[in-house]
Amino acid sequence: MIEVEGLEKRFDEVLAVGGVSLRVDAGEILGLVGINGAGKTTLLRMLAGILGVGAGSIRIAGHPMNPDAVEARRQLAFVPDTPMLFDTLTVNEHLLFIAELYRVADPEPRIEALLAEFELSDKRHSVASALSRGMRQKLAICCAFLHEPAALLLDEPLTGLDPPGRRSMCEAIAARARDGAAVLVSSHQLEIVERVSTRFAILHRGQLRATGTLDEIRATLGEQVDGANLEELFLHATTHDAIADPRADPSEAADA
Amino acid sequence: MSGLQGTAALLALIRLRMRGRLRRLRANLKRPKTLLLALLGLGFVALIVIAQAHNDHDPARDELIASFPRVPLLSFFLTAFMVTTVIGGVRQGVMAFTPAEVHFLLPGPIGSRALILAHLINASLKVVFSALLFAALLTPGNTPWARALLGYSMIFLVLVALGLVVDLAHAKLSSAARKRRAKWIGVGLLGVAALVAALRLWLLPHDALAALAPLGWPAWPFVQLILGDDPQQIALGAALAVGALLALLSCAFGMPADVREAARGTSEVVQRKLKQMGKGQWMRDRPDAGQQRRSALRMLPTLGGAGPHLWRQLITLSRTRRGLAMLLWMTSVILGTMLFTARDTLPVEAITAMGVLMPMFMGSMFLQCDFRGDYESLAWMRSLPCSPTALAAGQLIAGTLVIFALQLVFMVWALFNVDAAARPWVAGAVPMLPALVLLQLCVENGAYLLSPHAMPGSNGQPPGAGQLLRFYGLSLVKMLTLVAALVPPGLAGALVGYWSEQPALGLIVGGAVLWLETALAVGLVGRIYLRVDPSVDLTSD
């Protein structure tokens, strides 16, 4: 479970995320959407414990997340928008390292299963620098799934994947949620987010514009969006400037 | 601050990566070009070691060294190096993680102290390489290697620990506050050093070294470890060095700072810098987003395409304040030290030669306003309606002008200090200097274009042995090429001077041959640039 209460982050004078509160229960997939510079990546980085929190609190599987929180991090997996791998390590060595890091007991069967699931078995001993963009993405996801985290944070997990790859990735994410993980997916590919997520959060200028199921968001945004899909709701929420811009300088830097 | 959770995994990572690097080295050595460069690099290192070993048994050199004020000189030089390291931004690398480490380690279940420990272990590999290099290059013949290695290792370890403390402290400050604080600390330190130096000079007006000594006090304990003769002084130096290291480390481990925040911030800065370095722009100023800049320099005449490129490079040069500052700082430190201490022992000609060659080599390293800074634009440049020779000339002349301006200062100084009989020779050598500098830049750029490479360690990791050997190999090739290129003008000048019995005519002919050869070299660089494959990713070197 991921619980966020009154989260705030400033970069010098610029407010990147302001007063965000949300909750992702076990077995749920929350789709986080927002325009460039909305604060999605900043929010995810704070949830992952990479970025310090200005104000507010985060709990991962009941454990508070703070700069030194080891237990909360043990329950968490984060995949950034661009998979950053150790170029000199092989696929297998990446997974062995993650197993050691998260103290996965008897990792071999799980590694075998993940490599088979993501069609990387024949690349097991290839160094990361020799992998294609899509394969690197798959390896990053395998690393995230290996320790069976209670909370999954995925930033643009489908980038670089071909259509079959996207489909199998969506199925894999849904399977983790069915196994009890709380999943937060951030993406610009709204049709896929709509298909895979159970609830949605629209972030705009660092603040949550709407959260809930599609029906709940329609109810929040008013009668004129009756029957609208996620893309239409998103455009309505982000172009009808119902909330004032709290930021002195709404740059894209925070989301870069 | 939490404990050392995750240390075992970090050690496993270091082991796996060492294995990966060895694997990559083996694969790289199967390529003939890499193998050749590695062999040349080994040869270069072997030359230094053999020269050191030979000097051990050279009594005349030992006597000369003994007569030199080694402790204050080395103290001053190492202090200047430490200041350069901190100002140059190398400090910011201490708390930096690679992108993969940011991805896997920062969100991972790892204690803050374990993260700091990981930095120390990583940095210690760099320390070993740097200490070995300094011990090889900066150890007088009669000094035991083990002591030199220990002394230099201690200096670099203290620099690492200092970097950790500064980076952790920085994480708590806003960028504006950081700049303000850095500025005041810098001004304060310089003021104190200048005051102490002035006081010493006032008290001991005849001993110039007395003024130099306090400027080198931060490095004094380490220099005692390397060069000290008195056991008590050595013990005191060792105690001070170890004490400083322990104090800084306890400060780093005990500081109530957000290690992840510090590491993330530093990593972003360093990765941006490394990306620039990988593209050959390692001395370019940090891009300030949104900052508007205008240039007062008017467009130059086309000159077959050379003019616009020269104009562009001159503007780039005016925005490479860091490179210019480094060039001036390094040149003034080395030449200043020499002038200050050896003014009475070295002939004016030797000092002038140093004053001419030092900016040339330093400038070609720090001012990369040529092909090295345009690696990503090479494909576009080929589409321009411009001959390769004109384009190469436009690319290379900007750096030549700056370096020549610096050399000119020394030539003017020499004119006032050499004997009257030597003045025409000094004046006659001036027109040759731009050709010499341009030739050196041709060698640098030609080598870079033939073998595009990032600086060792520019991928954020300690440089691998293969990478270092390749770097040394390339340095040797460049040096030999320059020497070989200087043979024809030298020979032509000497022969004409000898046969005509008019040395002045020899100088003119030698100069003309040098200019001709330089023009040919510029054309050759233009041809080489047409052959480069711009798809090589330098950052993954």
Side-chain angles (χ1 to χ4, degrees):
Chain A
M1 184 195 294
I2 303 167
E3 296 163 280
V4 177
E5 193 60 50
L7 208 57
E8 188 177 304
K9 179 71 184 176
R10 283 178 185 275
F11 292 105
D12 289 339
E13 299 306 314
V14 181
L15 181 70
V17 172
V20 168
S21 299
L22 56 83
R23 179 189 170 101
V24 188
D25 287 320
E28 199 174 49
I29 301 175
L30 180 79
L32 179 69
V33 294
I35 58 170
N36 291 334
K40 300 188 298 296
T41 299
T42 302
L43 177 60
L44 282 176
R45 284 181 176 189
M46 281 195 286
L47 294 180
I50 296 175
L51 204 56
V53 171
S57 66
I58 301 167
R59 292 182 81 83
I60 304 290
H63 303 284
M65 173 61 82
N66 58 51
D68 298 319
V70 170
E71 209 42 55
R73 288 185 167 85
R74 211 180 288 288
Q75 305 295 330
L76 181 83
F78 171 56
V79 181
D81 51 352
T82 308
M84 296 298 182
L85 305 171
F86 298 104
D87 278 351
T88 50
L89 263 56
T90 63
V91 169
N92 192 49
E93 286 167 344
H94 271 88
L95 292 164
L96 286 176
F97 164 62
I98 293 297
E100 176 75 37
L101 187 62
Y102 288 87
R103 296 182 193 164
V104 178
D106 191 20
E108 274 304 323
R110 275 196 225 176
I111 290 175
E112 290 283 355
L114 276 170
L115 291 177
E117 183 182 354
F118 287 92
E119 296 164 342
L120 285 174
S121 297
D122 58 334
K123 297 284 178 189
R124 185 170 188 154
H125 298 294
S126 299
V127 285
S129 57
L131 299 179
S132 67
R133 173 73 172 82
M135 283 179 186
R136 290 170 72 87
Q137 185 74 16
K138 285 180 181 178
L139 175 55
I141 297 276
C142 284
C143 290
F145 288 175
L146 183 67
H147 65 288
E148 295 177 349
L152 262 169
L153 307 172
L154 307 171
D155 196 357
E156 296 288 356
L158 306 172
T159 310
L161 296 178
D162 54 16
R166 281 183 198 182
R167 171 164 291 206
S168 58
M169 187 66 77
C170 288
E171 283 166 6
I173 292 169
R176 266 65 196 179
R178 280 198 299 277
D179 290 345
V183 184
L184 201 158
V185 183
S186 164
S187 178
H188 285 304
Q189 300 177 38
L190 299 184
E191 70 285 2
I192 295 176
V193 174
E194 184 172 352
R195 202 169 67 218
V196 77
S197 306
T198 47
R199 286 171 64 241
F200 307 90
I202 301 176
L203 195 67
H204 190 51
R205 291 178 176 168
Q207 297 191 317
L208 277 184
R209 181 73 183 87
T211 51
T213 61
L214 283 182
D215 285 338
E216 286 166 347
I217 292 176
R218 285 183 198 117
T220 307
L221 295 179
E223 288 177 0
Q224 63 267 49
V225 289
D226 270 354
N229 62 15
L230 179 63
E231 185 176 313
E232 288 158 343
L233 290 173
F234 171 76
L235 288 172
H236 182 85
T238 53
T239 50
H240 291 69
D241 223 349
I243 51 172
D245 181 3
R247 302 196 279 197
D249 177 18
S251 68
E252 294 200 354
D255 209 32
Chain B
M1 189 181 284
S2 67
L4 294 165
Q5 298 96 325
T7 307
L10 291 173
L11 293 176
L13 177 64
I14 290 170
R15 187 171 43 80
L16 286 170
R17 289 169 88 177
M18 294 274 251
R19 207 159 69 185
R21 283 213 196 97
L22 279 175
R23 200 164 41 218
R24 178 178 276 193
L25 177 65
R26 275 201 302 269
N28 281 343
L29 285 178
K30 284 178 186 161
R31 290 174 9 209
K33 195 167 83 173
T34 314
L35 182 64
L36 183 67
L37 284 173
L39 287 174
L40 282 169
L42 270 177
F44 191 57
V45 173
L47 266 178
I48 294 173
V49 173
I50 289 167
Q52 285 285 348
H54 175 71
N55 283 337
D56 276 344
H57 306 292
D58 185 349
R61 187 174 180 274
D62 286 351
E63 197 180 328
L64 180 73
I65 288 167
S67 71
F68 246 68
R70 295 182 301 163
V71 172
L73 265 183
L74 192 62
S75 300
F76 176 68
F77 177 77
L78 288 177
T79 304
F81 169 77
M82 288 160 87
V83 171
T84 310
T85 306
V86 174
I87 291 174
V90 180
R91 165 197 63 74
Q92 289 162 320
V94 178
M95 271 303 286
F97 280 114
T98 62
E101 287 168 337
V102 170
H103 173 178
F104 288 109
L105 303 188
L106 295 196
I110 300 172
S112 297
R113 283 185 176 139
L115 286 174
I116 297 179
L117 197 64
H119 280 300
L120 275 176
I121 292 170
N122 263 336
S124 62
L125 293 170
K126 284 182 190 171
V127 162
V128 171
F129 277 118
S130 308
L132 272 171
L133 194 67
F134 269 65
L137 297 176
L138 275 180
T139 309
N142 55 357
T143 308
W145 249 65
R147 267 180 65 188
L149 199 61
L150 180 69
Y152 289 119
S153 300
M154 285 303 289
I155 289 179
F156 291 120
L157 279 174
V158 164
L159 272 175
V160 166
L162 180 68
L164 280 174
V165 172
V166 174
D167 282 345
L168 285 169
H170 270 192
K172 295 182 152 204
L173 299 172
S174 69
S175 55
R178 270 202 296 270
K179 277 181 193 164
R180 271 200 306 275
R181 192 167 292 197
K183 203 180 286 177
W184 284 115
I185 289 173
V187 168
L189 285 175
L190 277 176
V192 169
L195 190 70
V196 174
L199 273 173
R200 291 290 291 266
L201 260 183
W202 183 55
L203 292 170
L204 300 162
H206 302 297
D207 188 359
L209 274 175
L212 195 65
L215 293 176
W217 66 263
W220 183 87
F222 311 102
V223 174
Q224 285 302 323
L225 270 177
I226 301 165
L227 294 177
D229 297 321
D230 180 1
Q232 275 187 334
Q233 297 265 29
I234 297 170
L236 180 64
L240 281 172
V242 172
L245 181 65
L246 291 178
L248 286 166
L249 284 179
S250 63
C251 188
F253 277 99
M255 195 180 279
D258 185 343
V259 175
R260 284 180 162 82
E261 179 84 45
R264 185 202 55 79
T266 312
S267 304
E268 280 179 8
V269 171
V270 169
Q271 285 310 318
R272 190 174 56 229
K273 214 180 275 183
L274 291 177
K275 215 170 172 184
Q276 269 183 294
M277 283 166 69
K279 287 187 274 178
Q281 303 167 349
W282 60 293
M283 268 296 151
R284 194 149 293 179
D285 290 351
R286 180 184 166 175
D288 293 320
Q291 186 176 333
Q292 293 193 357
R293 283 172 166 182
R294 287 182 185 173
S295 171
L297 185 66
R298 300 185 70 165
M299 176 54 76
L300 301 173
T302 309
L303 301 173
H309 284 287
L310 176 58
W311 177 79
R312 185 170 61 81
Q313 293 294 4
L314 284 171
I315 289 176
T316 307
L317 199 59
S318 72
R319 291 171 190 162
T320 313
R321 284 168 298 174
R322 235 181 102 194
L324 282 169
M326 284 297 282
L327 171 63
L328 287 173
W329 168 247
M330 293 300 288
T331 309
S332 53
V333 162
I334 295 171
L335 290 176
T337 308
M338 205 177 64
L339 278 174
F340 210 52
T341 56
R343 194 172 40 183
D344 302 326
T345 50
L346 280 179
V348 176
E349 290 77 7
I351 295 177
T352 310
M354 287 291 283
V356 165
L357 293 176
M358 195 66 74
M360 187 174 93
F361 289 116
M362 293 280 174
S364 63
M365 194 190 297
F366 293 129
L367 301 177
Q368 300 185 330
C369 300
D370 43 43
F371 285 108
R372 291 169 293 174
D374 281 339
Y375 185 75
E376 284 189 328
S377 309
L378 293 186
W380 165 77
M381 280 158 68
R382 279 186 208 164
S383 69
L384 299 175
C386 176
S387 82
T389 306
L391 188 139
Q395 291 283 92
L396 300 173
I397 287 175
T400 307
L401 291 177
V402 173
I403 296 168
F404 176 59
L406 264 176
Q407 291 175 321
L408 214 49
V409 174
F410 273 90
M411 295 307 271
V412 171
W413 176 83
L415 273 175
F416 286 102
N417 285 280
V418 292
D419 298 335
R423 276 180 197 151
W425 294 101
V426 174
V430 170
M432 289 188 214
L433 291 180
L436 186 64
V437 176
L438 197 51
L439 190 63
Q440 159 71 1
L441 285 172
C442 284
V443 172
E444 282 285 348
N445 279 266
Y448 180 81
L449 291 169
L450 282 173
S451 178
H453 58 282
M455 290 291 289
S458 65
N459 58 356
Q461 289 301 306
Q467 203 183 13
L468 270 181
L469 288 178
R470 187 180 162 196
F471 180 74
Y472 289 140
L474 208 58
S475 302
L476 186 64
V477 169
K478 285 190 282 192
M479 202 191 298
L480 291 175
T481 309
L482 184 67
V483 170
L486 290 176
V487 170
L491 206 60
L495 288 176
V496 170
Y498 176 74
W499 277 321
S500 66
E501 294 180 352
Q502 289 181 348
L505 185 65
L507 185 70
I508 293 168
V509 170
V513 174
L514 180 64
W515 268 108
L516 183 70
E517 195 181 52
T518 302
L520 289 173
V522 170
L524 186 63
V525 172
R527 292 279 173 274
I528 293 172
Y529 121 86
L530 290 178
R531 291 185 50 223
V532 177
D533 174 12
S535 64
V536 177
D537 180 12
L538 299 185
T539 52
S540 67
D541 191 5

